[in-house]
Amino acid sequence: MYRTHAGPKLERDGHLAELSIELLGPDGQRRPVLLSVTRTVDGTEPRDLMIFFAAPERRRYERELASAHRRLEDAEADRAKLLQEARHRALHDPLTGLPNRRHLEENLLAALASAGGQRNRVGVLFCDVNKFKQVNDTLGHAAGDQVLEHVALMLSQAVRGADTVTRYSGDEFVVLIPWLEHPAELEAVAGRVRSCLAGAVTIAGSELRLGMSVGQAETAFPADADPAAHKELAKALLLAADQDMYRVKTEMRGASGTG
């Protein structure tokens, strides 16, 4: 029967894969099978190696194969998810959920590289929560954590959509402003950042009025496209903003008469 249905293909290709036929069993019943044939030549006589698969068994094999494929896809999706979660943990602060210092470094380098092509400025605000140690000492570290979470939220709401707020370390936060078309924009964002903690907040049953010392620095677009030059420029920009923050904090202490 297979010669009738697929003889020309067998003659041409020398093999035949999974032809659906019926075999007559010893009980007189016809049973569906899948026939595979491979033709070889022994001397001058062709020989056909025929393999029969019971159709139900073949369908079960295909179902098992499909199930194994789905399990493999699910395992790969779980692996990709775990990798994504691990990268997120590596680049974000566990307390506030903000990007961390490593993430800031990546974003700052990317901003400087983009600035070189777009010929725009990049700005940085270095922010330090005033009298944070006093909160920790009087209300405890749990209250200090609540203060940091509140500051993170207020900062995130004060900046523009393209800007990035980072928890740099301890009670220090950095705002990256990747696009400045005019110097006044940096001062505008800095003003919103300084005023975002103007209202009172209740922490551990105590009403607190928080404040921040904010230093700022900006750079014109870097003419040198060398990544090593961008790294040096990033360090210099952060250092300049940090030093400006300490200048502001020192002036505030002098104005209030504290040491």
Side-chain angles (χ1 to χ4, degrees), residues 221-259:
F221 63 88
D224 195 338
D226 181 12
H230 288 165
K231 289 183 179 180
E232 292 303 315
L233 185 57
K235 292 178 182 178
L237 189 60
L238 286 170
L239 179 60
D242 188 22
Q243 290 175 339
D244 190 51
M245 182 271 292
Y246 276 103
R247 176 190 62 79
V248 171
K249 186 178 285 289
T250 300
E251 291 178 356
M252 292 176 60
R253 286 171 177 169
S256 64
T258 60

Side-chain angles (χ1 to χ4, degrees), residues 90-93 98-109 126 165-170 172 174 238 242:
L91 296 177
H92 289 79
D93 172 50
L98 293 177
N100 60 17
R101 182 185 296 200
R102 177 182 168 188
H103 201 174
L104 170 67
E105 292 170 353
E106 292 183 2
N107 287 346
L108 181 52
L109 290 175
F126 211 104
V165 179
T166 296
R167 185 183 178 197
Y168 195 70
S169 65
E172 294 178 331
V174 172
L238 286 170
D242 188 22

Side-chain angles (χ1 to χ4, degrees), residues 100-179:
N100 60 17
R101 182 185 296 200
R102 177 182 168 188
H103 201 174
L104 170 67
E105 292 170 353
E106 292 183 2
N107 287 346
L108 181 52
L109 290 175
L112 292 172
S114 176
Q118 300 297 326
R119 302 180 70 84
N120 65 286
R121 296 172 180 269
V122 175
V124 166
L125 302 178
F126 211 104
C127 311
D128 181 84
V129 181
N130 296 332
K131 301 180 180 178
F132 180 72
K133 184 176 184 301
Q134 182 178 336
V135 173
N136 271 337
D137 291 344
T138 58
L139 300 179
H141 290 281
D145 287 348
Q146 292 181 46
V147 167
L148 294 175
E149 291 174 321
H150 175 72
V151 171
L153 177 61
M154 293 297 100
L155 282 174
S156 299
Q157 294 176 351
V159 301
R160 308 174 305 177
D163 304 334
T164 302
V165 179
T166 296
R167 185 183 178 197
Y168 195 70
S169 65
D171 62 327
E172 294 178 331
F173 296 82
V174 172
V175 178
L176 170 62
I177 306 168
W179 183 276

Side-chain angles (χ1 to χ4, degrees), residues 21-41:
I21 63 173
E22 289 184 339
L23 290 182
L24 185 65
D27 56 358
Q29 298 292 322
R30 292 183 177 274
R31 293 181 172 80
V33 297
L34 297 174
L35 170 65
S36 293
V37 184
T38 301
R39 172 161 292 180
T40 60
V41 178

Side-chain angles (χ1 to χ4, degrees), residues 54-128:
E57 293 179 1
R58 180 64 178 181
R59 286 194 291 270
R60 183 173 64 253
Y61 167 75
E62 290 174 346
R63 288 195 298 269
E64 291 174 352
L65 187 63
S67 178
H69 184 68
R70 285 194 299 271
R71 289 195 300 270
L72 184 62
E73 288 181 334
D74 291 343
E76 184 61 28
D78 290 341
R79 175 178 174 274
K81 183 179 179 181
L82 288 174
L83 288 175
Q84 184 178 9
E85 291 174 350
R87 174 168 173 78
H88 185 273
R89 288 193 299 270
L91 296 177
H92 289 79
D93 172 50
L95 175 64
T96 64
L98 293 177
N100 60 17
R101 182 185 296 200
R102 177 182 168 188
H103 201 174
L104 170 67
E105 292 170 353
E106 292 183 2
N107 287 346
L108 181 52
L109 290 175
L112 292 172
S114 176
Q118 300 297 326
R119 302 180 70 84
N120 65 286
R121 296 172 180 269
V122 175
V124 166
L125 302 178
F126 211 104
C127 311
D128 181 84

